[in-house]
Amino acid sequence: MAFDDPTPPQIGHGVAVLVELPKHAGLNGVLSYRTTQPLAAGQLLRVPLGRRVVCGIAWGDDASGGAPQQGLGAAPTASDMAAPVLRDVAEALDALPPLDAAWRDLVTFAAAYYQRSTGELALSVLPADLRELDGPALQRRLRRLDKRLGRTPPSAPKKRRGKAVPEDEVTPDPVPPPDIEPPALPDLSDEQQAVLDALAACGAEPVLLHGVTGSGKTEVYLRRVAAALEAGRQALLLVPEINLTPQLEARIRARFPGRVTVAMHSGLGPAERLQNWLAAHLGWADIVLGTRMAVFASMPRLGLIVVDEEHDPSYKQQEGARYSARDLAVWRARHQGVAVILGSATPSLETWHNALPVPEGNGRYRRLAMPTRIGAGVLPQVRLIDLTRLKEQFGAKQLRDQPFAPPLLAALRERLDRGEQSLVLLNRRGYAPVLHCTACGWKSDCPHCSAWRVFHKLDRTLRCHHCGHAERVPRACPSCGDPDIQPVGRGTERLEEQLAAALPGARIGRIDADTTRAKGSLEAQLAQVHDGDIDVLVGTQMVAKGHDFRRITLVASLQADAALFSSDFRAPERLFALLMQAGGRAGRDAAQAARSELWIQTWHPQHPLYAALTAHDYPTFAAGQLLERQQAGLPPFAHLALLRCEARTQEAAVAFLAELARRAAELQTQQPAWAAILVYPPVPPSVQRVANVERAQMLVESPSRPALQRFLAAWLPSFQDEARQPGTRVLRWAVDVDPLAI
DNA sequence: AGCACGCCGACT
DNA sequence: GTCGGCGTGCTC
């Protein structure tokens, strides 16, 4: 510290400790404590904080030489001179090895990149139970884990509790190779073999594995996992959704008997979550399979990261620290010098751009392609139905009452007659998105949000999908009393009803967020489909992901067009991925592949997206999109950050962001390197009010990622307490770096 | 973020 | 007379 005030000499020495404090506490979550024994960086601790004792992480020696660290920019005051004495570390959880340097670097980077405090981020990615345990409780959990994994015979004394070792010399013992008969391996296609040869040769360079649905990407992953395990390393596999982990987990366990595989996702209970985390951290787990949170798993022997379906938006955390697990996976792999495979049939444009060679792309990743479906399966034939012609032919009313083109209906009937299954996609749940009074024009708006309440016919409710507000459907218009209130538009419930009317005798099923609310009900309903109890399945996009429906030979998408003209610049990319993925559901049985079809009803059949889809030509689609992005100054050619603000009034939210913008302009005049950064005026988001909270947002765009990073780091911290000043009626504000949607 | 302290309304 | 609303303020 700059003042040479005589701090009273202290026994022991200071240690910097990470605690769970948010950034607006002004301390980046680092506090100083006193300790009598040296503590390795990464060591888990219990430390007193206010009236509580909380979990902390030793973060190196105290840089300030024992004096408490002050908040950023805090002026020296009399209380500085008083130099409060540091409090003692309550306990070191030394039954656990410290979190290693690679892990600490990862959370340090992630916190800085996504503009959160290091303490908040580091602690929030540890299992909740771990943050609450003291030494004895931890010992009990460790014994339970020992028993579960059969690591030690019950009678044998443990010999793992070493004295604190200098942490970077900690090298956990690889698990002895399993002495269990390995299962027979499936034969590899030439394509798979070629990709595996290339992967074996390309070391730690990030790889995009661009493989169509059914080309056998998973087998490639498993071979690389096997290679990592044989080298004594751990493998980390990321998947987008919890739904997809049980299938893959079973396949991995069968493939690697004797190896330890653990799952990490939000569906696990707190106890199991801790056990699995401990198993990974101690190096006992060989394979970690999880959703985005698993990118932060502590893995001392990490040797491979796989990000399956890397384009999937679920990899972006949408609250708190808004990190991209895919991007962090690439950073982590690069930082640790391990291989990372990003797999997708429809890569994100960012990844695709990184994988294209210069000059089309930037050549940062190696691109490996698997364009062929295994077992001679061909991709489904794409059929476009021109709704404009249909309307001319049949009239608007007919179209509304029975929303299937006659040829599509005939195709559905044909499947029915042959005992095959069909999947109809509609990305809107409920019966109708809005109710409308024909007499006075009233619509079913939500009293708390700027959105319509959706009509759910089955439980006779009007429900707001934003705030959850639900009411019984009124018999008459609440505004004028007229009994003639009509559903407008169509959701999955209505589609189910219309299909039942159009296909008498067909067994119609529906899967969406409403039918799968109960735990395990998705699995049960999928099983029904697999067992052939359903002829036509209606669903939202949740059914398009990852599930194999071997007997489905027709997939239809009824209302895809919205994405073509959406203000969300990623909408076309998502639509293309969804339709490719949905089409991939069909015809995975070679015998049926020949007659499997993907039907799309559209008002714009000439749109280039559909042309590329018809040709199953992702590269052409991507090239077109990249050109548009470049012309519009959008990612991956520009880098974005989105500032969001919530307040009681729209004026307050906008005023707060405007003040931020004013300070940004000041900063930009001081620093020429930031002149190219654009700070757009604050605007309301598409849904401006949710649960009576007004929201505003402001876009920041920069041609250079490092410049954006430095700019945000200089700009935002000066605002940490702006929102708390009296008169600023701001509830919350936050920045979203690399937002998915603007 | 927690979790305090701190001043003003309807209950045992 | 207390329980409890959430408005400021601090945490080494």
Side-chain angles (χ1 to χ4, degrees):
Chain A
M1 124 177 232
F3 297 86
D4 53 347
D5 58 320
T7 37
Q10 293 184 24
I11 324 245
H13 49 278
V15 58
V17 176
L18 232 46
V19 291
E20 193 164 16
L21 285 174
K23 197 153 193 168
H24 63 250
L27 297 160
N28 199 25
V30 187
L31 296 178
S32 305
Y33 287 86
R34 196 178 67 138
T35 174
T36 46
Q37 67 193 74
L39 293 167
Q43 180 65 63
L44 281 162
L45 310 169
R46 308 283 303 163
V47 293
L49 181 67
R51 248 135 288 228
R52 306 171 288 161
V53 175
V54 298
C55 182
I57 304 171
W59 215 245
D61 287 331
D62 184 1
S64 71
Q69 310 192 347
Q70 296 301 318
L72 282 171
T77 62
S79 67
D80 275 4
M81 306 305 179
V85 179
L86 300 185
R87 297 177 78 180
D88 282 318
V89 169
E91 185 183 5
L93 301 178
D94 47 18
L96 285 184
L99 292 153
D100 63 22
W103 187 89
R104 300 198 308 273
D105 290 347
L106 174 67
V107 299
T108 302
F109 169 79
Y113 188 85
Y114 295 104
Q115 304 291 322
R116 312 295 292 199
S117 91
T118 314
E120 180 200 11
L121 189 111
L123 275 300
S124 72
V125 300
L126 297 179
D129 273 19
L130 182 64
R131 303 195 302 252
E132 274 144 36
L133 295 185
D134 57 10
L138 176 63
Q139 297 279 4
R140 283 195 295 277
R141 303 289 195 116
L142 284 170
R143 277 197 293 276
R144 283 233 302 267
L145 181 62
D146 263 353
K147 225 159 114 191
R148 182 181 124 192
L149 298 182
R151 299 261 320 169
T152 8
S155 55
K158 272 195 291 284
K159 243 213 112 211
R160 196 169 301 105
R161 320 265 167 272
K163 269 258 148 253
V165 189
E167 52 99 7
D168 282 316
E169 290 166 33
V170 175
T171 329
D173 343 312
V175 180
D179 47 2
I180 296 170
E181 184 85 15
L185 299 183
D187 290 336
L188 294 173
S189 69
D190 292 347
E191 216 167 81
Q192 285 174 318
Q193 188 59 60
V195 160
L196 281 166
D197 292 343
L199 282 168
C202 76
E205 186 185 5
V207 168
L208 165 63
L209 180 55
H210 179 215
V212 297
T213 318
S215 62
K217 290 191 289 289
T218 307
E219 183 58 31
V220 172
Y221 304 153
L222 294 182
R223 299 283 174 131
R224 292 313 297 165
V225 168
L229 300 187
E230 270 155 39
R233 305 293 208 93
Q234 294 169 295
L236 172 61
L237 269 79
L238 301 181
V239 292
E241 310 227 355
I242 315 174
N243 296 339
L244 305 179
T245 53
Q247 288 179 19
L248 189 54
E249 199 178 337
R251 184 163 167 193
I252 291 172
R253 285 188 203 283
R255 182 61 164 271
F256 301 107
R259 297 289 192 170
V260 178
T261 301
V262 296
M264 280 191 196
H265 55 78
S266 56
L268 299 178
E272 198 177 1
R273 188 127 148 218
L274 173 60
Q275 299 267 297
N276 292 354
W277 186 91
L278 288 171
H281 175 63
L282 292 162
W284 300 352
D286 301 294
I287 301 165
V288 173
L289 172 65
T291 52
R292 61 174 177 266
M293 62 168 65
V295 77
F296 289 110
S298 165
M299 297 177 67
R301 294 185 286 114
L302 181 66
L304 170 70
I305 306 179
V306 173
V307 184
D308 191 25
E309 308 291 357
E310 67 84 27
H311 63 279
D312 197 291
S314 315
Y315 284 120
K316 185 84 165 37
Q317 172 94 26
Q318 290 296 6
E319 59 196 20
R322 295 174 162 249
Y323 61 87
S324 158
R326 178 243 290 153
D327 295 349
L328 288 179
V330 173
W331 190 91
R332 182 176 186 175
R334 202 186 286 270
H335 184 70
Q336 296 191 235
V338 306
V340 56
I341 304 173
L342 308 178
S344 179
T346 50
S348 66
L349 289 175
E350 281 84 350
T351 296
W352 186 249
H353 188 246
N354 281 329
L356 286 177
V358 184
E360 301 104 292
N362 60 31
R364 283 185 201 155
Y365 303 167
R366 179 76 172 277
R367 181 172 50 131
L368 300 175
M370 297 209 297
T372 315
R373 273 188 134 174
I374 291 220
V378 291
L379 289 161
Q381 189 181 1
V382 177
R383 294 181 174 272
L384 298 174
I385 299 181
D386 185 348
L387 285 172
T388 312
R389 262 187 31 213
L390 214 63
K391 190 174 169 184
E392 285 162 11
Q393 218 174 332
F394 297 97
K397 184 178 183 305
Q398 170 90 31
L399 213 59
R400 194 169 55 237
D401 296 342
Q402 196 203 291
F404 319 100
L408 173 53
L409 204 52
L412 286 167
R413 286 212 177 94
E414 215 176 281
R415 295 323 189 271
L416 201 54
D417 294 342
R418 284 207 299 256
E420 296 169 4
Q421 297 174 303
S422 304
L423 168 64
V424 184
L425 290 172
L426 180 63
N427 200 21
R428 186 172 264 166
R429 62 197 170 85
Y431 188 85
V434 61
L435 277 187
H436 176 237
C437 170
T438 50
C440 75
W442 171 85
K443 282 178 155 184
S444 56
D445 51 351
C446 174
H448 311 300
C449 308
S450 43
W452 306 123
R453 278 176 300 169
V454 176
F455 174 34
H456 289 253
K457 194 176 182 181
L458 291 178
D459 57 5
R460 307 292 309 170
T461 58
L462 286 181
R463 285 220 299 268
C464 175
H465 288 181
H466 296 275
C467 71
H469 176 75
E471 255 178 17
R472 238 188 124 65
V473 182
R475 297 195 169 279
C477 171
S479 173
C480 74
D482 193 286
D484 188 24
I485 45 178
Q486 294 293 331
V488 179
R490 172 175 54 235
T492 45
E493 280 183 16
R494 192 178 201 176
L495 178 59
E496 186 183 8
E497 191 178 285
Q498 289 171 325
L499 270 167
L503 298 170
R507 294 163 301 172
I508 318 272
R510 174 168 61 95
I511 296 184
D512 57 30
D514 294 317
T515 69
T516 54
R517 198 135 292 164
K519 195 167 182 245
S521 69
L522 175 63
E523 289 70 24
Q525 290 174 65
L526 290 172
Q528 268 200 312
V529 180
H530 286 290
D531 294 347
D533 298 341
I534 299 291
D535 299 313
V536 183
L537 178 63
V538 173
T540 52
Q541 53 185 305
M542 67 186 292
V543 293
K545 284 187 187 173
H547 304 283
D548 279 7
F549 297 113
R550 302 216 161 258
R551 300 176 51 213
I552 286 185
T553 58
L554 183 153
V555 175
S557 171
L558 297 191
Q559 271 170 24
D561 285 347
L564 298 180
F565 309 98
S566 167
S567 60
D568 176 359
F569 66 90
R570 272 183 241 269
E573 177 184 343
R574 278 206 312 274
L575 174 64
F576 192 88
L578 175 72
L579 293 177
M580 284 282 279
Q581 206 158 23
R585 301 299 115 226
R588 290 191 78 162
D589 261 356
Q592 299 179 334
R595 59 172 181 274
S596 69
E597 294 170 340
L598 172 61
W599 289 65
I600 295 160
Q601 294 195 157
T602 171
W603 298 96
H604 307 276
Q606 72 295 340
H607 195 284
L609 185 148
Y610 294 131
L613 188 71
T614 304
H616 301 109
D617 184 355
Y618 173 84
T620 299
F621 166 72
Q625 284 289 305
L626 282 173
L627 192 63
E628 283 182 28
R629 297 273 186 95
Q630 184 159 33
Q631 285 160 354
L634 288 168
F637 303 98
H639 303 278
L640 306 180
L642 194 63
L643 286 142
R644 304 169 196 277
C645 180
E646 295 182 358
R648 280 292 165 213
T649 67
Q650 178 68 200
E651 293 71 38
V654 167
F656 176 79
L657 292 178
E659 174 60 16
L660 262 174
R662 197 186 60 75
R663 295 213 200 170
E666 265 173 32
L667 269 180
Q668 288 181 282
T669 58
Q670 291 159 24
Q671 175 60 260
W674 295 339
I677 295 172
L678 279 174
V679 179
Y680 288 88
V683 292
S686 58
V687 180
Q688 174 179 329
R689 186 169 44 106
V690 170
N692 286 324
V693 172
E694 293 283 337
R695 310 188 299 179
Q697 61 181 40
M698 185 165 77
L699 184 66
V700 181
E701 182 192 289
S702 167
S704 147
R705 195 194 293 273
L708 179 60
Q709 276 294 308
R710 281 191 288 271
F711 177 67
L712 292 176
W715 180 32
L716 300 180
S718 69
F719 261 78
Q720 295 310 337
D721 37 31
E722 179 77 11
R724 302 192 145 228
Q725 277 172 20
T728 325
R729 300 295 308 134
V730 162
L731 299 171
R732 322 191 303 166
W733 73 280
V735 60
D736 184 351
V737 179
D738 302 332
L740 277 191
I742 56 176

